[in-house]
Amino acid sequence: MDKINITDNMETVSILKKVNIANKKLAELKGIVKTIPNEKILINFIFLQEAKDSSAIENIITTHDELYKQFIFDKSQHIAAKEVENYVEALYSGYDIIKNTELLTINGICEIQSILERNNAGIRSQSGTKILNAATGKVIYEPPQTKQEIEILFADLENFINNDALYPELDNLIKMAIIHYQFEKIHPFFDGNGRTGRIINVLYLTLKKLLDSPVLYLSKYIIENKQEYYSKIDYVTKTNDYEPYILFMLDAVYETSCHTISIVEKISKTMMEVKHKIRDELKLNYYSQELINALFYMPYTKIAFIEEYLNITRRTSAKYLNELCEYNILSKHKLGNNVYYINETLANILSNT
């Protein structure tokens, strides 16, 4: 395997046309995200869906219901939901890293992977890793085997990610596609390479200011086109022709930008409807923008969350939530001795996207 080398088939006429279209849609997404009163509402929303679908690519399957319960109850009853929780934590950790350092380094990537896998194994140090066809068991790719070779290639990738003086004329969306391919082929870890690679995608776009926060939901497109995704990567490996693969990744950026814009519009509309109902129709004396934000922070909530979010007593929190159930803004549920509340409209937006 070679270090990154920019070739003519990475900047064909077809690629440059599609880059322009994808960049415009990404800029539209960046602008519309600012219409959400609290960016963390959207970050939570997208992170949960990205985590669920990125994990599904690795055959880690969970339902929305299991996932939300994982986040409101301390002890998970579902292993896959715990895996998705790890993914969300890794995304947040990566986001903090690039905000604080304005870099995405090998150490940062290793930290992301360690959160995903809950171990500190780090970069592969033993040979023998092979990528197999899941159906036939045949070897389809053998990544670099020695730790020395992996570290050399990883260092080259790190430089490509962070050094804007390298290939300054190369568009960042093309760079993102190259970074993703190179990382997947280096396959630096024993486990978690796919999910780590998909986190790198959206962190890179945020690092390069194409987004203000990592809210692009790329895994949806990849999971819907899973076989084509693997086929395009395999084609690059066999032919060194990047054009079909880069076009695929640009389509992913465009389509998921459109999809995320639609999600933002639905959330904004629903928040305004709930705000209008609480403030203007019902004229509830405890209305505040913070209350609206709290109700949309997660689809599932509980008394303790609202208590902490609004800095009110537990009794007052329970009163608010139960009253909102009476007005069909929330619904009340029990799991064993635990009571929780669902923002059904918000939950439906996520489960139907």
Side-chain angles (χ1 to χ4, degrees), residues 33-235:
V33 165
K34 295 175 182 177
T35 65
I36 297 286
N38 182 346
E39 119 178 317
K40 201 156 189 180
I41 294 170
L42 182 62
I43 291 175
N44 278 343
F45 202 70
I46 298 299
F47 275 24
L48 281 170
Q49 192 71 0
E50 173 72 16
K52 180 179 180 294
D53 283 356
S54 184
S55 297
I57 294 170
E58 309 298 325
N59 297 313
I60 299 169
I61 310 298
T62 186
T63 66
H64 288 93
D65 181 64
E66 291 159 348
L67 179 56
Y68 301 147
K69 286 175 182 173
Q70 169 66 30
F71 280 84
I72 62 170
F73 300 123
D74 293 334
K75 292 184 179 180
S76 174
Q77 302 298 315
H78 198 277
I79 294 172
K82 182 62 181 174
E83 294 280 357
V84 173
E85 184 183 33
N86 292 344
Y87 190 98
V88 173
E89 184 183 339
L91 264 170
Y92 268 115
S93 177
Y95 184 30
D96 286 340
I97 287 169
I98 62 170
K99 281 194 298 183
N100 294 332
T101 67
E102 296 188 344
L103 295 169
L104 185 55
T105 64
I106 292 173
N107 286 341
I109 293 169
C110 287
E111 181 176 333
I112 290 166
Q113 188 270 346
S114 72
I115 294 171
L116 283 171
E117 295 300 318
R118 293 299 175 193
N119 65 52
N120 295 305
I123 295 172
R124 285 188 289 116
S125 58
Q126 296 179 346
S127 61
T129 296
K130 295 179 176 63
I131 312 301
L132 306 178
N133 183 304
T136 66
K138 291 183 178 179
V139 176
I140 56 175
Y141 175 68
E142 188 171 306
Q145 294 296 301
T146 69
K147 188 173 184 181
Q148 181 183 19
E149 186 182 5
I150 293 169
E151 288 177 339
I152 290 170
L153 292 167
F154 214 167
D156 178 66
L157 178 61
E158 178 187 59
N159 189 37
F160 186 80
I161 291 171
N162 296 292
N163 187 352
D164 290 335
L166 277 178
Y167 313 109
E169 301 302 317
L170 192 63
D171 190 89
N172 281 323
L173 290 184
I174 298 175
K175 287 183 178 178
M176 181 207 73
I178 295 168
I179 289 164
H180 184 71
Y181 172 82
Q182 192 74 357
F183 178 81
E184 295 302 324
K185 302 318 283 186
I186 295 171
H187 207 80
F189 307 114
F190 286 109
D191 293 299
N193 293 283
R195 284 172 292 156
T196 303
R198 288 186 288 278
I199 289 175
I200 291 171
N201 286 340
V202 71
L203 291 181
Y204 181 76
L205 297 181
T206 309
L207 182 66
K208 299 307 174 184
K209 312 301 183 188
L210 296 179
L211 292 170
D212 291 324
S213 53
V215 295
L216 190 65
Y217 172 27
L218 275 174
S219 289
K220 175 180 172 61
Y221 189 86
I222 292 175
I223 199 169
E224 289 176 349
N225 301 276
K226 188 174 179 180
Q227 293 308 313
E228 185 181 1
Y229 166 72
Y230 287 124
S231 174
K232 300 298 187 191
I233 287 179
D234 188 45
Y235 184 75

Side-chain angles (χ1 to χ4, degrees), residues 274-287:
V274 171
K275 180 177 181 177
H276 175 69
K277 185 170 184 176
I278 292 175
R279 184 188 64 186
D280 303 324
E281 292 181 20
L282 300 174
K283 300 186 186 302
L284 299 180
N285 60 11
Y286 50 81
Y287 161 78

Side-chain angles (χ1 to χ4, degrees), residues 16-26 254:
L16 294 177
K17 285 181 179 178
K18 195 158 283 190
V19 160
N20 186 44
I21 295 169
N23 270 316
K24 285 181 179 177
K25 190 56 67 174
L26 199 57
Y254 177 82

Side-chain angles (χ1 to χ4, degrees), residues 5-13 15-16 170 174 240-243 246:
N5 179 39
I6 303 305
T7 61
D8 290 342
N9 62 38
M10 295 174 178
E11 293 184 283
T12 64
V13 172
I15 287 174
L16 294 177
L170 192 63
I174 298 175
N240 203 38
D241 182 358
Y242 280 79
E243 184 183 47
I246 292 175

